[in-house]
Amino acid sequence: MYQLFILIFFLPLSVFSNEKIINTFPSDGLININSLYWEVQNDITKSKNLLTASRLIFLREDEFKLTNLSFNIIEENNSVKIIKSDLGQFLLNTNTIEFNSNVLFSMESENIDMSISSEFIIFDNNLHIIYSNSKTSFESELTKISSEGFKVLNNSLNKKQITFSKGTISDAGIQNNLKISGYADEINYQYEEDLLILIGSAEITDRGMTIKASEIHYDLASNKIIKSLDSKLTNNS
């Protein structure tokens, strides 16, 4: 009965709302729950959040440790964001879930299949974002991007976009037997439009030619630069 109270009442209210919960748990002991299953509807992002874990440990009033966790965000259009990791924790004072150790973040829908691997990813329910400031590796059917971090807005009203910091592009155009590479201080991948927007020290290398610019818009589906600002073209051959 004690575990049931934590599972059903404590977690949904404290993690996914601003409602204040008065702690009634002993401060000098650990509370363990095996095979956690927890589900809640998020009215702000219009999504359903589902968390499973093999074990939950209540350490203190503002922290839960988790092992072998999987967090699913199911949106109205049935697209799914899934974050899996070996270890993680709830931080109730910041309303966040931290994922660490062998983290894999995937995004799936009828037309999209993408994944990001990292050692550390955060889901921030206050800001409705998923992000990391650690090295990340992104892969989709159209390109690969390695970066120093990324950010995804978890809001159905926002443009479907992943923002990478200090990103390096590789294997773009592979579907057309091309191998296009690039770099920018910031890369915005608008994946529903197959569009890469490179901002700051931007460059794209394609078939022996490199274009450097302050900003480059690159269409991954057609493998064409559709816009550039303050650009300079160099022949590498």
Side-chain angles (χ1 to χ4, degrees):
M1 181 66 70
Y2 196 46
Q3 291 181 345
L4 186 63
F5 171 79
I6 301 170
L7 179 61
I8 296 178
F9 295 102
F10 189 84
L11 288 179
L13 291 176
S14 58
V15 177
F16 283 92
S17 76
N18 293 321
E19 184 169 342
K20 181 68 174 179
I21 300 291
I22 298 175
N23 177 35
T24 59
F25 304 124
S27 59
D28 56 350
L30 297 179
I31 296 174
N32 293 272
I33 298 176
N34 293 320
S35 300
L36 172 70
Y37 179 94
W38 169 73
E39 181 179 316
V40 67
Q41 186 72 33
N42 192 317
D43 293 331
I44 297 176
T45 60
K46 307 299 182 184
S47 64
K48 181 172 71 174
N49 299 327
L50 171 64
L51 174 67
T52 60
S54 64
R55 189 182 183 193
L56 178 146
I57 304 174
F58 177 75
L59 298 180
R60 54 179 184 265
E61 66 179 30
D62 61 349
E63 184 176 349
F64 293 88
K65 292 286 187 180
L66 298 158
T67 58
N68 300 318
L69 61 155
S70 176
F71 184 62
N72 293 16
I73 302 170
I74 305 169
E75 299 178 345
E76 285 185 314
N77 61 359
N78 290 323
S79 64
V80 183
K81 299 182 179 79
I82 306 170
I83 311 174
K84 295 183 178 181
S85 67
D86 294 340
L87 301 171
Q89 59 183 346
F90 285 124
L91 296 177
L92 303 184
N93 57 339
T94 58
N95 209 10
T96 58
I97 305 175
E98 294 184 352
F99 303 82
N100 53 76
S101 184
N102 297 319
V103 188
L104 181 64
F105 171 34
S106 59
M107 302 174 65
E108 303 171 359
S109 68
E110 184 177 350
N111 302 313
I112 295 170
D113 187 1
M114 305 176 293
S115 64
I116 298 175
S117 58
S118 181
E119 282 303 305
F120 189 71
I121 289 177
I122 295 175
F123 171 75
D124 188 320
N125 192 60
N126 288 335
L127 299 177
H128 309 296
I129 62 172
I130 301 166
Y131 72 96
S132 175
N133 295 320
S134 302
K135 292 183 181 297
T136 60
S137 297
F138 168 86
E139 186 170 351
S140 72
E141 182 181 357
L142 297 178
T143 190
K144 296 179 182 178
I145 301 173
S146 58
S147 69
E148 298 296 320
F150 76 94
K151 178 174 67 175
V152 178
L153 291 175
N154 183 43
N155 191 327
S156 60
L157 300 178
N158 292 97
K159 184 178 288 292
K160 303 301 183 182
Q161 176 174 287
I162 308 173
T163 298
F164 299 94
S165 58
K166 298 187 182 303
T168 299
I169 301 166
S170 62
D171 290 347
I174 196 169
Q175 78 278 14
N176 294 322
N177 297 316
L178 302 173
K179 194 170 183 179
I180 299 162
S181 60
Y183 171 85
D185 294 335
E186 179 181 303
I187 300 175
N188 295 312
Y189 181 22
Q190 297 178 4
Y191 48 87
E192 289 188 332
E193 288 80 29
D194 295 326
L195 178 65
L196 290 174
I197 301 176
L198 292 73
I199 302 172
S201 302
E203 63 178 68
I204 289 285
T205 298
D206 178 11
R207 286 161 282 192
M209 303 291 289
T210 297
I211 183 170
K212 296 184 178 182
S214 59
E215 184 172 321
I216 298 173
H217 293 213
Y218 187 82
D219 188 319
L220 281 169
S222 63
N223 299 125
K224 292 180 180 179
I225 295 173
I226 58 177
K227 179 181 177 180
S228 65
L229 301 177
D230 305 318
S231 58
K232 179 180 179 181
L233 185 64
T234 302
N235 190 332
N236 301 322
S237 58

